[in-house]
Amino acid sequence: MSRPDHTRPPVGHFDADTVRRGALACLPLLPSTIIFGAVLGVLASQRGLSLGELLFMSLTVFAGSAQFVSVDLWREAVPVATIIIATAVINMRYILIGASLRPVFRGRPLWVKICGMHMVADENWAVTMTQENLANPGFLLGGGIFLGVVWATGNSIGYLLGGGIPDPEVYALDFAFTAVFAALTIGMWKGKVDLLPWIAAAIGSVIGHFTLPDTWSILAGAGAGVVTAALTWRDDMDDTSLDVEFAVDGKDAYGAPEGTFSTETGK
């Protein structure tokens, strides 16, 4: 029976060096993140949110696409239920993202998992999953903190600039929501398996637009797409399962080289 090796220093939950490396790894994402955040800031100022409310949203939600939808739905009488449901639907992808981060948080206490997962964005998750060693959550946290600061900075810049634009339609800012989400959908397309759900979502949104009040057409489209995806799923679609969908640079969903990690045993 071998004795434990006491000569090696214990690895902390968020050691400073790993946090720093995670932040530096996300440095190339600075331009796109700050511009994307600035667009949200401009639109938030036009919707009547205060800068404090916008930054509080970025701190507590930290999910760009969900924040765009929330700001788009913002009215004098805020439709709280609609915003909550729409945000929940949009952020359902984090269920799979969280599952793929199992090696990062395995054996860690609950507070570490909560802190780490709160700072997960699509970008720092993707960068983290390219790392050979996923054992320390500091890398993920470092990238998340960096992106959070850049995102809030972009929000502030956009908000201050947007306050000086009297009519957003002159600069086509009223079309910004449509343009942003049209661009986001390009990266979401995974092939013909998405065709029927997307068609159903489009039809549901159009029908909802003419039959439902306010912005419930968003939820009608999302619901139609989800239901269609569930009803049309077949066993031969396993190539778009979790392990393949989140494979990055020859690694499976858990960061290991493909074919070396078992999702059943975790080894």
Side-chain angles (χ1 to χ4, degrees):
M1 180 176 179
S2 61
R3 296 182 180 180
D5 184 4
H6 297 291
T7 62
R8 299 178 61 184
V11 178
H13 298 304
F14 301 117
D15 64 278
D17 181 65
T18 308
V19 171
R20 178 185 60 82
R21 289 192 296 105
L24 291 177
C26 291
L27 189 60
L29 299 170
L30 189 152
S32 60
T33 302
I34 201 167
I35 292 172
F36 195 42
V39 172
L40 179 62
V42 171
L43 297 172
S45 69
Q46 299 299 333
R47 288 296 189 186
L49 278 77
S50 69
L51 179 58
E53 289 172 333
L54 175 60
L55 293 179
F56 180 75
M57 180 191 295
S58 292
L59 176 66
T60 55
V61 178
F62 192 51
S65 54
Q67 289 182 250
F68 267 96
V69 169
S70 299
V71 171
D72 188 33
L73 296 174
W74 200 274
R75 302 290 187 273
E76 290 186 5
V78 180
V80 178
T82 306
I83 290 177
I84 291 175
I85 296 173
T87 301
V89 171
I90 291 171
N91 284 343
M92 284 182 66
R93 69 187 186 280
Y94 283 105
I95 296 176
L96 295 177
I97 287 177
S100 72
L101 291 171
R102 183 173 60 181
V104 177
F105 297 108
R106 183 184 289 116
R108 305 283 179 177
L110 180 61
W111 71 268
V112 173
K113 298 175 182 178
I114 293 176
C115 292
M117 282 303 302
H118 179 66
M119 298 307 298
V120 171
D122 296 333
E123 295 82 1
N124 67 318
W125 165 79
V127 172
T128 298
M129 295 306 294
T130 65
Q131 303 303 301
E132 293 183 1
N133 182 11
L134 298 179
N136 193 286
F139 190 93
L140 181 71
L141 181 68
I145 292 175
F146 173 80
L147 292 175
V149 171
V150 174
W151 178 252
T153 301
N155 291 165
S156 301
I157 294 173
Y159 187 92
L160 296 176
L161 292 176
I165 301 176
D167 187 1
E169 294 184 3
V170 174
Y171 302 94
L173 292 180
D174 57 322
F175 185 70
F177 285 109
T178 304
V180 167
F181 280 99
L184 288 176
T185 55
I186 296 176
M188 295 179 182
W189 176 260
K190 300 204 171 44
K192 62 181 181 180
V193 66
D194 286 334
L195 183 59
L196 286 179
W198 281 38
I199 292 175
I203 294 174
S205 297
V206 171
I207 294 176
H209 176 73
F210 291 104
T211 60
L212 297 175
D214 298 325
T215 52
W216 282 88
S217 59
I218 297 175
L219 300 182
V226 169
V227 171
T228 302
L231 293 177
T232 58
W233 183 262
R234 303 187 310 271
D235 291 339
D236 59 358
M237 294 179 180
D238 284 342
D239 58 334
T240 56
S241 63
L242 174 67
D243 287 349
V244 176
E245 180 178 350
F246 289 102
V248 180
D249 291 340
K251 299 176 182 178
D252 66 14
Y254 302 97
E258 291 180 346
T260 63
F261 190 94
S262 169
T263 56
E264 296 180 357
T265 64
K267 297 180 180 179

